[in-house]
């Protein structure tokens, strides 16, 4: 009888472990990428989801990735396929995916849909549709500080160096404007007289156009280049021309050892961990989630000391501490002007509509309060000292 009871207990324990385990193994995460590993932007997401999956103990079969999904109905189709494959959470990484992912969310109300860089979640108010971003403007500001130190060093070594820098941008969207302005303000904190030209390509990923844009900026007198675009186009021409470069979404030190200074990026691993954990524990996911430096969501690569100015590592640590403490605000209205005047009030288009109607006062306590009323950036102020050479929407 005793043996029978022990055997029965063992069977019950095995059944419990199997049942519990199967429930966890049934969980699947779907990820939709605009491009693939060749894009620094998409590679950043791939690295993050892999890191999160490893930490959470998800197997390869529990993470289904759809690569090279365009910003079209193909995104909705990919989302439908991921739902059919059993995914409980579906994530898409590109701004233009949003409307199609929203369609999928309305069609599959028992699945959570999460979208990076989007603007619609807080106005749509669906329980299963969410936007996420990070305070990357702080990372770009830090990268700008590193660029400013390099520019300062160049000017000290050669009196003929003009403090003019260039920036390759994808589109004339608030996300890009917020990014290049924060970078510029970081440089300006070191070299107050700096000017910056911006050249847009009209694409998130076009190596030829990005390379051509960077070359045009260099030919026009820019002595340092940064970017918000996803290929190696700009870094490669900088290495070829021996022009210092601040990259985005990862280090280019291996390919550009003589010119790469530093790169900022969003670390999406905390968000992937967050949405998976919420889903598995049946907890609500924030409608608008914003990661910060403090949460490990905004990061810098190691500084390439071969190309960076002396003292860059130490200076970045000091400024980072000031950002975390709140001592330094990236968009402090005392550090820039627009059309020759201080920005004392500004109505931003937070509740985005077709006409992009300004609807929210975003100047708060002496600074432009970015990514607080929603996760995606809405800073689109034309700051003095920055010249947009073209526009691409």
């Amino acid at each position: 009888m005793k043996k029978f009871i022990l055997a029965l207990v063992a069977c019950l324990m095995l059944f419990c472990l199997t049942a519990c385990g199967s429930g966890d193994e049934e969980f699947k995460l779907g990820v939709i990428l605009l491009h693939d590993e060749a894009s620094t932007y998409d590679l950043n997401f791939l690295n993050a989801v892999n890191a999160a999956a490893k930490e959470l103990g998800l197997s390869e079969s529990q993470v289904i990735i759809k690569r090279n999904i365009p910003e079209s109905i193909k995104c909705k189709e990919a989302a439908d396929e991921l739902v059919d494959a059993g995914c409980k959470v579906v994530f898409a990484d590109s701004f233009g995916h949003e409307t199609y992912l929203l369609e999928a969310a309305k069609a599959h109300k028992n699945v959570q849909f999460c979208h990076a860089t989007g603007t619609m979640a807080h106005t749509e108010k669906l329980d299963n549709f969410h936007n996420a971003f990070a305070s990357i403007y702080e990372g770009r500001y830090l990268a700008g500080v590193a660029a400013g130190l390099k520019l300062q060093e160049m000017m000290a070594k050669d009196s003929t160096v003009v403090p003019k820098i260039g920036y390759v941008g994808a589109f004339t969207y608030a996300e890009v404007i917020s990014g290049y302005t924060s970078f510029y303000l970081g440089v300006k904190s070191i070299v107050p007289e700096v000017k910056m030209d911006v050249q847009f390509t009209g694409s998130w990923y076009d190596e030829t156009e990005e390379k051509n844009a960077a070359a045009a900026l260099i030919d026009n007198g820019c002595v340092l280049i940064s970017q918000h675009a996803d290929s190696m186009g700009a870094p490669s021409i900088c290495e070829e021309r021996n022009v210092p470069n601040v990259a985005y979404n990862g280090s280019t030190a291996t390919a550009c050892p003589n010119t790469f200074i530093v790169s900022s990026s969003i670390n999406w691993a905390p968000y992937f961990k967050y949405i998976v954990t919420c889903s598995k524990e049946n907890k609500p996911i924030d409608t608008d989630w914003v990661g910060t430096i403090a949460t490990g969501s905004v990061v810098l690569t190691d500084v390439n000391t071969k190309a960076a100015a002396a003292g860059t590592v130490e200076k970045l640590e000091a400024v980072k501490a000031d950002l975390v403490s709140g001592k330094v605000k990236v968009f402090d209205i005392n550090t820039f002007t627009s059309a020759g005047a201080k920005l004392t009030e500004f109505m931003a288009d937070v509740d985005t509509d077709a006409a992009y109607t300004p609807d929210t006062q975003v100047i708060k306590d002496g600074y432009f309060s970015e990514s607080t009323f929603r996760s995606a950036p809405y800073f689109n102020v034309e700051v003095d000292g920055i010249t947009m050479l073209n526009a691409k929407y």
Side-chain angles (χ1 to χ4, degrees):
M1 184 67 178
K2 184 177 180 181
K3 289 182 179 179
F4 173 77
I5 293 173
L6 289 173
L8 180 60
V9 170
C11 289
L12 288 172
M13 289 177 65
L14 179 61
F15 174 80
C16 181
L17 288 171
T18 302
C20 292
S22 65
D24 188 61
E25 289 169 4
E26 286 176 359
F27 176 85
K28 291 181 182 179
L29 168 68
V31 179
I32 297 173
L33 303 177
L34 181 61
H35 300 111
D36 54 27
E37 289 84 349
S39 160
T40 56
Y41 179 77
D42 297 275
L43 179 61
N44 189 47
F45 282 98
L46 278 169
N47 289 339
V49 73
N50 289 335
K54 183 177 181 180
E55 188 168 339
L56 292 169
L58 299 182
S59 66
E60 288 186 14
S61 64
Q62 289 179 271
V63 181
I64 305 175
I65 297 173
K66 296 278 190 178
R67 295 169 170 81
N68 297 305
I69 304 301
E71 296 167 323
S72 70
I73 192 61
K74 294 292 183 182
C75 176
K76 167 65 163 53
E77 294 170 357
D80 290 340
E81 291 170 2
L82 289 169
V83 172
D84 290 343
C87 291
K88 304 298 184 184
V89 179
V90 175
F91 174 92
D93 77 344
S94 189
F95 182 81
H97 285 148
E98 185 169 31
T99 54
Y100 305 101
L101 199 70
L102 181 58
E103 286 183 38
K106 291 177 179 178
H108 306 286
K109 295 184 179 180
N110 61 331
V111 175
Q112 297 296 318
F113 293 85
C114 302
H115 178 253
T117 77
T119 64
M120 297 179 177
H122 77 293
T123 50
E124 290 289 335
K125 296 181 173 25
L126 297 180
D127 291 338
N128 69 327
F129 187 73
H130 319 277
N131 286 144
F133 210 79
S135 57
I136 187 58
Y137 56 90
E138 293 179 311
R140 289 193 185 277
Y141 182 88
L142 285 170
V145 170
L149 292 170
K150 182 64 176 181
L151 181 58
Q152 184 182 64
E153 180 185 76
M154 294 165 66
M155 294 168 65
K157 289 181 178 179
D158 184 350
S159 61
T160 66
V161 173
V162 176
K164 181 180 179 181
I165 61 177
Y167 199 98
V168 177
F171 292 96
T172 317
Y173 296 158
E175 179 186 344
V176 180
I177 296 172
S178 176
Y180 71 61
T181 304
S182 52
F183 172 77
Y184 172 76
L185 292 176
V187 179
K188 186 177 172 64
S189 72
I190 306 297
V191 183
E193 68 271 31
V194 67
K195 306 296 181 186
M196 186 170 81
D197 287 350
V198 181
Q199 182 78 36
F200 296 97
T201 64
S203 172
W204 291 115
Y205 183 91
D206 188 321
E207 187 160 3
T208 299
E209 285 302 313
E210 291 164 37
K211 188 172 185 177
N212 290 342
L217 290 166
I218 294 168
D219 291 341
N220 199 36
C222 296
V223 299
L224 184 147
I225 301 293
S226 189
Q227 70 189 69
H228 188 163
D230 300 336
S231 83
M232 283 292 294
S236 64
I237 194 66
C238 285
E239 184 74 5
E240 183 182 318
R241 299 280 193 92
N242 196 32
V243 173
N245 175 254
V246 171
Y248 181 49
N249 275 328
S251 174
T252 61
T254 300
C256 309
N258 301 302
T259 55
F260 169 73
I261 296 174
V262 73
S263 172
S264 63
S265 65
I266 296 176
N267 174 20
W268 286 97
Y271 186 65
F272 282 119
K273 288 165 57 180
Y274 167 71
I275 60 177
V276 169
T277 301
C278 284
S279 177
K280 293 171 74 171
E281 296 179 356
N282 292 316
K283 294 180 179 179
I285 296 171
D286 286 348
T287 300
D288 271 277
W289 182 93
V290 182
T292 65
I293 292 178
T295 63
S297 301
V298 177
V299 296
L300 293 182
T301 63
D302 290 338
V303 173
N304 178 20
T305 55
K306 182 178 180 180
T312 297
V313 173
E314 295 77 11
K315 181 65 173 179
L316 291 181
E317 284 301 319
V319 178
K320 177 182 176 181
D322 287 341
L323 286 168
V324 172
S325 71
K327 182 179 178 180
V328 170
K329 296 290 187 182
V330 171
F331 296 115
D332 185 331
I333 62 173
N334 296 304
T335 62
F336 66 91
T337 57
S338 179
K342 183 187 291 189
L343 200 69
T344 57
E345 58 180 28
F346 189 82
M347 296 293 289
D349 172 31
V350 174
D351 299 332
T352 299
D353 57 24
Y356 300 103
T357 307
D359 49 56
T360 306
Q361 175 58 245
V362 293
I363 302 299
K364 175 184 177 183
D365 299 327
Y367 63 94
F368 187 109
S369 186
E370 175 71 299
S371 293
T372 56
F373 295 96
R374 74 172 188 218
S375 57
Y378 39 80
F379 183 101
N380 62 350
V381 180
E382 292 189 28
V383 168
D384 295 334
I386 300 176
T387 301
M388 293 193 297
L389 300 181
N390 65 340
K392 295 284 186 177
Y393 294 95

